[in-house]
Amino acid sequence: MAKHNVADKSPLERPSLASLDQKLAFAKRCSHEGVVAGAKAAAFASIATTVPTLASVRMLPWAKANLNHTAQALIISIVTGAAFFVVADKTVLAAARKNSFNEPSN
């Protein structure tokens, strides 16, 4: 089996510095879009989780007896963190998938 080395490639096959910079800029933009979308989803999820959690602790006898402040905070933070990571991951993958077919022309 022949091992391929980067030095064995012809100059036409090696990625240029400009294309690497373009890929890096695209990766930064995709990750930034993911962070922004994840933060929006986390903010919404925290509000959407806080209201029913606090309402159930005040109204339901079982929740009042079994969910202390730590449990309430844990429920809210887990949902918030999960929403952030799921939405951020989906956004980054969607952007990468959308632009993977668009080959940059030099």
Side-chain angles (χ1 to χ4, degrees), residues 2 5 11 14 16 21 26 34-35 45 47 51 54-56 59 65 67 69 75 78 81 83 88 92 94 98:
N5 191 356
R14 276 190 234 145
S16 66
D21 286 342
F26 173 71
V35 168
I47 293 169
V51 172
L54 296 179
S56 66
M59 295 179 195
L67 296 178
H69 296 293
I75 291 169
I78 286 176
V92 169
K98 179 180 74 173

Side-chain angles (χ1 to χ4, degrees), residues 34-89:
V35 168
V36 170
K40 288 179 184 177
F44 179 76
S46 67
I47 293 169
T49 308
T50 302
V51 172
T53 302
L54 296 179
S56 66
V57 168
R58 289 181 180 256
M59 295 179 195
L60 299 175
W62 178 88
K64 186 180 281 189
N66 293 315
L67 296 178
N68 60 10
H69 296 293
T70 305
Q72 295 169 32
L74 189 62
I75 291 169
I76 294 166
S77 64
I78 286 176
V79 171
T80 302
F84 175 83
F85 285 113
V86 167
V87 172
D89 186 48

Side-chain angles (χ1 to χ4, degrees), residues 86-101:
V86 167
V87 172
D89 186 48
K90 284 184 151 231
T91 304
V92 169
L93 290 176
R97 189 178 308 116
K98 179 180 74 173
N99 292 310
S100 66
F101 297 111

